[in-house]
Amino acid sequence: DAKTTQPPSMDCAEGRAANLPCNHSTISGNEYVYWYRQIHSQGPQYIIHGLKNNETNEMASLIITEDRKSSTLILPHATLRDTAVYYCIVETNFGNEKLTFGTGTRLTIIP
Amino acid sequence: GAVVSQHPSRVICKSGTSVKIECRSLDFQATTMFWYRQFPKQSLMLMATSNEGSKATYEQGVEKDKFLINHASLTLSTLTVTSAHPEDSSFYICSARVGRVAGEQFFGPGTRLTVL
């Protein structure tokens, strides 16, 4: 069973904030939320991860709900180069984990 | 930092030949590297986990004798597709884990294999 559920596709206007949702209702207390993206014909790129607090870095912000059953990745000012498939992954952080990629959300930035 | 390279980026070979793909961590040492395969319009599927100095751990359904993995140093892992067939045509991607953040992996640019 998939640990996460994401919409298959989304559009966002260039310059606007892109908000990508992810449901992970069965997440356990020691599991983190990771976000990666894959631009066409390239390897995936790590974006951000978090446990329960909201996180921000130079690429994006991650908002995790208080019950941790869902999260939102926010790209504050989307550009055309942000067009990609975005993957939300839930995994522990003990050191031996593997990343399991679901189908992700195909985000298209519209000029 | 945390750059991973792959070579070659693209390879075309005849059915029955073997193809070696290299994955290098350029500016860090990676004790663990991963190999993924991605078919068109599908997500990445983990093939195996490669630990430096030990045998690779293969995912269920991946033939270890067909997909040979060698992780001889902390900066190099190789995947050899032996006796390749057209159904092995795919996008092969490696990644390396940095430090102790288990889910933070850095991926190579991928190798597109086409078997004629």
Side-chain angles (χ1 to χ4, degrees):
Chain A
D1 290 334
K3 290 185 177 181
T4 63
T5 304
Q6 298 178 253
S9 64
M10 291 180 62
D11 292 340
C12 177
E14 186 179 16
R16 305 297 289 268
N19 297 281
L20 293 94
C22 180
N23 287 323
H24 30 80
S25 59
T26 61
I27 192 171
S28 62
N30 56 11
E31 289 183 313
Y32 287 69
V33 180
Y34 295 90
W35 282 85
Y36 281 78
R37 72 179 181 184
Q38 185 179 25
I39 296 170
H40 182 62
S41 293
Q42 297 183 24
Q45 177 187 24
Y46 165 82
I47 301 173
I48 199 168
H49 76 281
L51 182 61
K52 49 185 173 182
N53 296 325
N54 297 335
E55 303 287 344
T56 296
N57 63 21
E58 65 278 3
M59 290 185 67
S61 294
L62 174 60
I63 308 298
I64 303 174
T65 58
E66 192 168 341
D67 63 7
R68 303 211 320 125
K69 292 186 177 182
S70 65
S71 61
T72 301
L73 178 74
I74 301 172
L75 307 178
H77 304 287
T79 70
L80 298 178
R81 288 179 295 181
D82 292 322
T83 292
V85 178
Y86 287 77
Y87 296 98
C88 169
I89 300 170
V90 165
E91 191 52 80
T92 55
N93 193 28
F94 297 138
N96 296 320
E97 293 78 4
K98 304 173 288 189
L99 293 177
T100 301
F101 286 80
T103 54
T105 296
R106 181 173 298 278
L107 175 67
T108 303
I109 305 302
I110 309 296
Chain B
V3 177
V4 176
S5 70
Q6 280 185 241
H7 178 80
S9 59
R10 187 179 294 266
V11 58
I12 301 172
C13 69
K14 293 182 179 180
S15 184
T17 61
S18 294
V19 175
K20 179 185 283 189
I21 302 170
E22 292 186 348
C23 176
R24 293 182 184 272
S25 56
L26 298 185
D27 50 3
F28 66 98
Q29 293 182 330
T31 55
T32 304
M33 289 184 171
F34 303 86
W35 286 95
Y36 296 82
R37 180 168 54 182
Q38 185 175 32
F39 292 108
K41 299 189 184 300
Q42 295 187 23
S43 188
L44 285 80
M45 296 297 294
L46 179 66
M47 298 176 66
T49 301
S50 169
N51 291 297
E52 186 265 339
S54 63
K55 291 184 178 180
T57 302
Y58 291 80
E59 294 299 301
Q60 191 172 9
V62 178
E63 300 176 57
K64 62 180 182 180
D65 294 330
K66 181 171 181 61
F67 299 99
L68 301 179
I69 292 172
N70 184 284
H71 193 161
S73 77
L74 288 171
T75 59
L76 173 65
S77 176
T78 61
L79 168 68
T80 301
V81 183
T82 62
S83 187
H85 288 94
E87 57 266 30
D88 298 323
S89 298
S90 188
F91 193 47
Y92 291 86
I93 308 169
C94 73
S95 71
R97 189 160 64 207
V98 178
R100 296 296 298 167
V101 180
E104 186 176 352
Q105 295 181 20
F106 290 87
F107 286 78
T111 296
R112 187 160 301 283
L113 170 63
T114 302
V115 184
L116 303 176

